[in-house]
Every structure is written in C-alpha cells, then in structure tokens.
Amino acid sequence: MLKTLLPSRFIVERDPDRCIQCQVCVRQCGFDVHYYDAEDDVVRARDEQCVACHRCVAYCPTDALTIRKNPLSYRDNFNWRPETIEDIIKQAETGGILLTGMGNDKSYPIYWDHLVLNASQVTNPSIDPLREPMELRTYLGRRPDSVEIDWETGRLKTSLTPLVPLEVPVMFSAISYGAISLNVHESLARAAREAGTLFNTGEGGLHRSLYQYGPNTTVQVASGRFGVHSEYLDVARMIEIKIGQGAKPGIGGHLPGEKVSAEVAKTRMIPRGTDALSPAPHHDIYSIEDLSQLIYALKEATNYTKPVSVKIAAVHNSAAIASGIVRAGADIVAIDGLRGATGAAPKMIRDNVGIPIELALASVDQRLREEGIRNRASIVCAGGIRNSADVVKAIALGADAVYIGTAALIAIGCHVCQACHTGRCSWGITTTNDYLVKRINPDIAAQRLVNLLRAWSLEIKEMLGGMGVNALESLRGNRLHLRGVGLTDTELEILGVRMAGS
Amino acid sequence: MDNATDLINRSGSTVEIDATGVYYRDLNTVLRNVCSGDVERIELRNVCGQRYIGTDLGRQVNIDIHGTPGNDLGAFMDGPRITVRGNAQDGCGNTMNEGQIVVHGHAGDITGFAMRGGKIFIRDNVGYRVGIHMKQYLSKVPWLVIGGTAQDFLGEYMAGGLLVVLGLNLKEGESHKANFIGTGMHAGVMYIRGSVAKEQLGKEVGAVELEEQDRRILGDLVGEFASHFGYDAGHILAGKFTKLVPLSLRPYGRLYAY
C-alpha cells in the first residue's frame, strides 16, 4: 500500500523524564497509537493514528503525555484550508464518501448564544428556589381541544390520551445499541429511571436485559425496523417513529458489519457480521397519510396505551411538515437540528444539510399555534443542547422538553474526538469491541448522568426563580423572557424575539 | 363501543363477527376482547377496508376474513393465522413477527415489509416494494410466497428470509416485469419461477443455479402454498427456478473513507 500523503493531525508528546514505560497508554488506546518497542525497551507513538481522545492522557499515571495539534503550516489560504485539502487527499486515496462521527463542527451561528434571558428586578420579586418549591415536572403528549365535565359525578367526560411525566425536561437522545455499547445503553437507562426521565433506544432494538427499564424507555421504530416486535413495543413508555436525524437529514444509516457482534445481531435480529442497513425512507411511508397509518398501527399494536412521537430533522419546511405530523396523529414532534450528532454520517451531509434547531423550533411552535393545534402535540427539541441555559432558552422558544445526546456521552467520558464511526472508541462508548466496552461501568456512568441532570435541574430552577417564575409551564413558549443580541431583524422575526434593550 | 355484542355470534369455540360498517378501531377492540377468551376460530363477515386486523392479538387464533381487509393487515402480528377470502390491500404483514396470512386473491404494495417471522402466502399478484427489508435470525426465518408476479423493488434491502415468486399466472413466454429486484439485498434468498433478465436485478444480487438443499426448501415452501390453494405442487416445482442471492453480506462496505 502507498504511504498516505495525509499529515498527522496530532502529535503525541511524551515527557521522557516522566514516562516509566508502564504501557498503560498502549493498552488504553483504541486506535493503536502507542506501542512498545521491545528492541529498544521504549514506548513509541504512531502519531498519524491519534484522534486526540485523551484517553492515554487521562490514564497516564505520571502525567507524561500530552497531545498537540500538528503545527505543520500550510501557506495561508482562506479558501483552501487544511481540512479541505486533507479531505481531498483522503478521497483521492480511497475513492469513498467521507465518513465522520458526532455533530456538525462548522462555524454556523449558534443562536442560543445570541439569546439572553430576563430576570426580575424590584417590580416583581424573583423567587428563591432554595426556600420555595419550583416545578420542573413536564407531561409529554396530546391535550384534548376541550374538556367536558360530568357535573353530577365531577369526573371528566372527555377521554384523555396517555401522557408521559418527566421530572426534568431533559431526555436522552436516541442512540442505538450497536452504535454504542450495551453498557452505555444500560447507563442511560438506569440514569433515566433514577432521574425520572426517558432514554431512547435508537433504531437498534432493546437488549432483553434492559426490558426492566421499560417505564423509562422510548423505543424507536425506524426504516430498518431492527428489533421491532410486539414485546419491544409493549415494554416501552413511549414509541418514536424516526423519520430523520439532524446529523444526516434525508439519508438512512449503515451500521458496519464489524459492529454487528453476536449480541447486537440478536437484538437487531439480523445475522452477525452483516451490515445493518436502514434505508433512507420508511418504505411504508411515502406521504403524511402513510405516516398516519404507521402512527395508528403502532397505537393499535399497543392498544392506545402509549404516546407516539415522530422525530424529524430540522429542514427548510419543518413548520409545514410538523403541522402534517400533528394532524397525522402524532402525540409528540421531535425536531433534531443542524448540530445534532451521530455515530456515523457522511461528512458533507453532517456539515451542510439541515437548519439550526433554534430557528426550526421557533417556526414550528409558531406555526402550530397559528393553526390552533399546538395542544395536540408536545415539541421536543434536539441537536446541540449544551447546558441548562440552552434548555431554558429552548423551553422559552416553545419546546416542551429537550433531548441531549452528546452532552450525555461527554458526562460518561466522551471527549468529542469525532471518531465514533470507527468503532474503536478508547472510552468504550461508541464500540462493540468487548475489550473496550468494559471501560464503561454502568454504576459509575449512571451516577455521572444523574449528577449532570441534577446539576442542570438546580440551575434551571435558579434561572426560573430569577425570572420570577415558579413553574416551567409558565415559561413554555413565553418568548418575552428572551431577548436577542447581535441578530438581524429577520432573525429576530423568525425567532419571535425582541432585540435586547427594546 | 356500546352494542358490540350485537355483532358477535358465538357457537362453541367459533365466533362470527359482522363487520358491516364497523369503524376499524371498534372492530379491533372487539377482536381484542374476543381473543382474551378461549375462542379458537373467528369468522369476520362483510369486512370492507378496516385496517390493522390481527394486530395486538398476541396468540394463535384462526381468523377467516370474508371481504376486503384494509391496509396493514396483520401489522406487527404475533401469532394469529389469518385467511383472507378476497384481496388484501397495502402493507399486509407489515413488520410481522409470528403467525400466518393466506390471501385467496391479490395483495397490494409493501406486502411483508420488514417481516421477521411467520408465513405469508398470496395466491395471485402483489404490488410494488414487496418483501423490503425482510429479516431473519437463527431459526426465525419468514416465508413470503407469491403465486403470481410482483412489481418493482421486490426484496429490496432484504436482510434475511425466504421470498418466492411463482409466476403461475404468466402466459406462455411472458416474463416477470419487476425491475430493481433485490437492490441492496445483503442476506436471505429469493426463488423466482419463470424468466428474469439480468437487467431486472439490482446491482447487489446474483442469480445462481439451485442446489439439492434449495430443492428441499422449495419443496416445503411450494408444498405448503399448493395445499392452501389446491394446486399441484409437483407441477409447480417442475418449472424453471432462478435463485437470487446477495453478492455480499456487506454490499456497501467500500462506500466510505474512514
């Protein structure tokens, strides 16, 4: 094979005064960067394979390691940047579609950072969440257009559809077993149970050992229909039809055969080692009417006991599509934005297709209100939620709850090195390799996730209290609590937010 | 619904239900209730377009449908054995897990879509996108046998299972019309009786000669098909079959640059 012309992206620096040749780095690296040279009795590195995941740095007992960007300079060129040049080299050498992991890393505007929250001063007092109750509980699902009460018995005459209570308005995004390990699925499931929220199976089915977490599970039904059967649907709290994903709107998914281990094969119910291919569309859904048919097939299959969510990627016509989805009978619309992450996606699609979630969320909420059908479905916002302030801003823009994926994985070790698609994750997260999988201890990882949600809840309560609001419900869709900074009139108009100072 | 009992006529372990003008949701509620008892056979009369029949019944029960059931017949089905005395519409056996559907007539588009187990026998023709993404795992191998012919995208993305098209209603010298057969297929087997040109196949499938083991498997599939519809299995098996198999377990393995 020809030597690649790609320069190393990172340089591994090993301090010889500190290194004790213990080879922890050799064992910890999933990318075979570090190796022991027995002839010279020394540990060396193959820099070109390093993805800067920092596993070796974190585990080096003598702090002998650090990773630096390769300082190799190209002649300055704003148009032909190193990444662009290196992508072309890679494609010239392989002839393949550029594949990557995680979410869009490009410099599109992050509207959360152009939105600021209000706080009470003098005229209406702020609330101290340490001494007063603050309500974060959220119910997801359809509300009736009106309710009728039987005045003699005092009971409701209107029959209500099932709702899902969340103690914190943050759920874990759909990540399939296969893309991530069983240990990570278990960690998410256990954390969801402890924190009173839901985790989402993604499209790879639910391992039998996790059926016990059913009340805190959203099961996904995607175009590949992997692991979908009546027991899987019955065990869940909520069902989600996956139409699209923010990281790769409009295309399906290919779980490479290497990641289809014996247990993954069993859960997805496909032969071991075959590619798990999810077609781009559901071949039984070519229209809103067809979507409605699947929504009601799932409701029939579970005897109308569970809400059905439909997840789409945020694209140009999201508002009109969301309206169709709600009219088709969905109880929840989940919208996944431009910065939503993935275990594997073509880089060009991840980085160029879709629209920022803030704009999609605002326009969907606005459209459903204008059409008088906002009560018929909850809105879940996904794709690039980084902290509790993003959550609060999303809720003020109209979301009922949010999904977090990347943030949850960071909580259990992810360093966002964007190599999920290789299946070699040194942190044991996006891999099904038995040696690496053991690195996630569900006891510890679940606790870290619960800690994250606890911390965010406390912060959300502080922000709510500051605004003089004691229930999340009062903030939902209340855009007067937001102001824009550094935005154009058109951006402000789409976001439905006034300029700061006005 | 209030007057559900009016629809039901029970004798022994057989229940007869008159579906005239009954909304699908009500009909399925009646079926759920009926199936919670010890009934073994259900005769559904005057069925006209009601969807999702056979869904969420979760046990082996024989259902005879007289009339035309609606879309998604037996969707996510897990056990019942359905016989349709008429045609089935689109989505018959969608993501079905266990049980059997026998259609004495035609079936529409996406028949057997993402089927994971059980058996479907269609006497006549089927529509487009039939058998897409059928799967199998160990001993769980879905069967889909079509007596007539099929339209485009047959067995696309097939990930397992056995799909047979018999072409019994093709005239002398007439060939199957379907194009893009087995595009993206990466597991499972298709047996086509009658002629199929190479141009009709997806890029990821290859046509191979039948071996001894295939004859045995086909014998089982066709034997059962023939017994449902009163055909002579030997006569059908004497025809010329083509076996279609995926060229790779990983058809798109070279698509990407890592």
Side-chain angles (χ1 to χ4, degrees):
Chain A
M1 208 171 103
L2 280 173
K3 183 183 183 299
T4 175
L5 298 180
L6 282 173
S8 302
R9 218 174 245 161
F10 302 99
I11 306 281
V12 179
E13 283 187 6
R14 195 184 314 273
D15 183 343
D17 292 341
R18 288 177 176 236
C19 178
I20 53 171
Q21 314 293 329
C22 67
Q23 299 177 46
V24 163
C25 51
V26 177
R27 289 186 293 277
Q28 290 298 323
C29 184
F31 297 88
D32 294 329
V33 171
H34 302 276
Y35 66 100
Y36 176 64
D37 185 335
E39 213 163 285
D40 294 346
D41 184 29
V42 66
V43 176
R44 300 184 195 280
R46 303 178 186 98
D47 291 345
E48 68 277 10
Q49 299 188 31
C50 179
V51 297
C53 74
H54 300 179
R55 179 76 183 184
C56 58
V57 176
Y59 277 74
C60 176
T62 58
D63 292 333
L65 289 168
T66 191
I67 310 292
R68 290 192 202 288
K69 258 191 192 166
N70 188 344
L72 173 71
S73 299
Y74 292 80
R75 169 120 187 206
D76 284 341
N77 189 321
F78 197 82
N79 196 34
W80 295 98
R81 297 182 196 208
E83 184 184 354
T84 316
I85 295 169
E86 288 164 16
D87 281 351
I88 289 178
I89 295 173
K90 200 189 246 187
Q91 291 191 299
E93 290 177 0
T94 61
I97 294 172
L98 294 166
L99 205 60
T100 187
M102 300 311 300
N104 192 325
D105 60 4
K106 298 295 176 286
S107 59
Y108 294 98
I110 298 171
Y111 287 98
W112 303 130
D113 296 339
H114 292 269
L115 292 168
V116 287
L117 291 162
N118 195 25
S120 301
Q121 302 293 303
V122 186
T123 52
N124 59 330
S126 48
I127 302 171
D128 179 357
L130 300 179
R131 38 182 289 272
E132 293 188 50
M134 303 293 285
E135 184 68 60
L136 295 191
R137 182 180 284 183
T138 298
Y139 289 89
L140 294 185
R142 170 170 296 233
R143 270 74 166 177
D145 293 340
S146 60
V147 286
E148 246 189 296
I149 295 167
D150 183 340
W151 294 109
E152 284 185 10
T153 61
R155 289 180 184 281
L156 269 184
K157 274 209 246 175
T158 315
S159 65
L160 298 178
T161 44
L163 296 174
V164 176
L166 304 176
E167 297 305 326
V168 44
V170 180
M171 300 185 286
F172 299 128
S173 282
I175 316 179
S176 73
Y177 172 40
I180 53 170
S181 70
L182 184 57
N183 284 3
V184 179
H185 246 205
E186 183 181 341
S187 308
L188 293 166
R190 284 165 62 171
R193 179 155 79 183
E194 199 167 321
T197 183
L198 302 181
F199 95 110
N200 189 316
T201 62
E203 58 182 301
L206 180 64
H207 194 270
R208 285 204 171 264
S209 65
L210 302 183
Y211 277 22
Q212 55 179 309
Y213 302 101
N216 296 91
T217 305
T218 297
V219 296
Q220 228 181 30
V221 174
S223 64
R225 299 290 154 85
F226 294 110
V228 178
H229 49 96
S230 48
E231 223 181 329
Y232 169 77
L233 300 174
D234 283 340
V235 83
R237 189 73 184 83
M238 182 163 114
I239 300 170
E240 183 167 87
I241 299 172
K242 179 199 173 182
I243 299 291
Q245 183 176 343
K248 41 182 171 178
I251 68 166
H254 294 176
L255 183 72
E258 298 96 1
K259 278 180 126 174
V260 181
S261 64
E263 285 297 305
V264 171
K266 192 167 158 189
T267 305
R268 295 198 175 215
M269 244 202 73
I270 52 167
R272 186 178 180 174
T274 57
D275 279 347
L277 306 178
S278 292
H282 289 246
H283 282 290
D284 54 350
I285 306 178
Y286 283 11
S287 65
I288 287 289
E289 291 76 14
D290 287 350
L291 173 67
S292 182
Q293 185 173 308
L294 183 63
I295 291 171
Y296 282 94
L298 291 165
K299 289 186 177 186
E300 277 288 336
T302 51
N303 200 10
Y304 300 86
T305 55
K306 302 163 204 297
V308 173
S309 162
V310 173
K311 179 180 175 182
I312 53 166
V315 291
H316 303 345
N317 295 318
S318 287
I321 296 162
S323 165
I325 289 170
V326 174
R327 291 171 194 282
D331 304 292
I332 292 133
V333 183
I335 318 162
D336 193 10
L338 179 66
R339 288 184 300 274
T342 176
K347 188 169 180 237
M348 289 303 126
I349 288 182
R350 185 197 74 173
D351 292 351
N352 296 286
V353 183
I355 66 171
I357 187 60
E358 302 90 335
L359 304 176
L361 170 63
S363 61
V364 167
D365 177 66
Q366 187 62 30
R367 178 70 171 261
L368 298 184
R369 280 168 192 273
E370 283 166 8
E371 294 187 4
I373 55 173
R374 180 64 181 85
N375 62 298
R376 292 197 204 163
S378 297
I379 299 176
V380 176
C381 160
I385 299 286
R386 303 159 299 173
N387 52 43
S388 60
D390 289 354
V391 178
V392 173
K393 291 171 188 175
I395 286 169
L397 271 185
D400 287 271
V402 304
Y403 272 136
I404 58 166
T406 303
L409 297 189
I410 292 172
I412 64 172
C414 170
H415 279 55
V416 200
C417 73
Q418 307 190 26
C420 324
H421 59 293
T422 63
R424 304 177 72 169
C425 179
S426 302
W427 292 90
I429 298 169
T430 56
T431 177
T432 54
N433 173 327
D434 287 335
Y435 180 68
L436 299 172
V437 159
K438 282 184 246 163
R439 297 178 181 190
I440 293 292
N441 175 336
D443 287 336
I444 297 169
Q447 188 54 52
R448 293 178 70 95
L449 288 163
V450 170
N451 286 347
L452 179 73
L453 293 183
R454 176 178 184 270
W456 285 21
S457 297
L458 294 171
E459 289 175 343
I460 292 170
K461 288 177 182 176
E462 289 286 352
M463 283 181 264
L464 284 184
M467 287 185 264
V469 168
N470 65 2
L472 206 55
E473 200 59 40
S474 309
L475 179 68
R476 194 155 283 129
N478 190 343
R479 298 185 195 180
L480 285 173
H481 279 298
L482 293 170
R483 286 290 190 275
V485 284
L487 297 173
T488 65
D489 286 354
T490 313
E491 287 169 319
L492 290 167
E493 189 190 325
I494 291 169
L495 289 166
V497 167
R498 293 167 63 179
M499 177 72 191
S502 70
Chain B
M1 64 184 296
D2 303 332
N3 56 349
T5 48
D6 299 351
L7 310 171
I8 301 173
N9 190 357
R10 178 158 187 160
S11 67
S13 60
T14 300
V15 167
E16 198 175 305
I17 300 171
D18 181 2
T20 309
V22 181
Y23 187 51
Y24 78 85
R25 211 170 145 172
D26 298 328
L27 180 63
N28 290 325
T29 303
V30 170
L31 285 171
R32 258 186 219 103
N33 293 338
V34 166
C35 284
S36 63
D38 57 356
V39 64
E40 279 170 24
R41 168 162 229 97
I42 299 169
E43 297 273 345
L44 275 177
R45 301 275 170 198
N46 305 315
V47 173
C48 186
Q50 286 95 343
R51 292 179 173 183
Y52 318 118
I53 294 173
T55 298
D56 196 31
L57 299 181
R59 74 177 182 93
Q60 252 203 40
V61 55
N62 293 299
I63 304 175
D64 257 36
I65 298 176
H66 301 267
T68 308
N71 289 353
D72 271 355
L73 169 71
F76 306 104
M77 192 166 83
D78 203 16
R81 301 163 69 86
I82 295 178
T83 306
V84 181
R85 312 281 173 190
N87 299 322
Q89 305 297 301
D90 296 342
C92 167
N94 189 345
T95 323
M96 157 177 175
N97 190 50
E98 221 26 280
Q100 177 176 286
I101 300 177
V102 177
V103 178
H104 290 258
H106 302 289
D109 296 343
I110 49 170
T111 300
F113 173 63
M115 199 181 164
R116 334 162 5 106
K119 299 172 181 179
I120 299 180
F121 299 96
I122 310 291
R123 192 189 66 194
D124 302 331
N125 296 335
V126 291
Y128 292 81
R129 318 198 296 278
V130 166
I132 291 188
H133 226 305
M134 284 170 71
K135 295 175 189 61
Q136 74 180 62
Y137 182 71
L138 300 180
S139 61
K140 217 168 162 62
V141 182
W143 289 15
L144 173 52
V145 186
I146 295 145
T149 189
Q151 300 293 340
D152 296 352
F153 313 111
L154 177 74
E156 187 178 274
Y157 277 119
M158 208 167 141
L162 298 169
L163 204 171
V164 183
V165 183
L166 297 173
L168 295 175
N169 54 5
L170 293 179
K171 295 186 191 75
E172 192 66 35
E174 190 184 358
S175 56
H176 294 282
K177 302 287 188 296
N179 283 313
F180 312 108
I181 298 173
T183 298
M185 179 175 180
H186 50 292
V189 181
M190 273 188 258
Y191 298 103
I192 315 272
R193 184 174 172 277
S195 55
V196 184
K198 193 164 183 298
E199 305 82 73
Q200 291 175 267
L201 305 182
K203 287 194 293 289
E204 294 76 21
V205 243
V208 295
E209 290 292 314
L210 271 67
E211 290 167 26
E212 192 47 43
Q213 198 196 350
D214 296 309
R215 294 271 165 209
R216 262 204 318 279
I217 294 169
L218 254 182
D220 291 347
L221 287 153
V222 172
E224 225 174 294
F225 173 85
S227 72
H228 287 302
F229 304 114
Y231 287 118
D232 175 3
H235 172 73
I236 297 173
L237 287 166
K240 164 112 183 77
F241 282 87
T242 307
K243 178 185 181 184
L244 301 180
V245 289
L247 298 173
S248 163
L249 288 177
R250 309 203 40 202
Y252 303 119
R254 269 210 67 237
L255 198 58
Y256 301 112
Y258 281 82

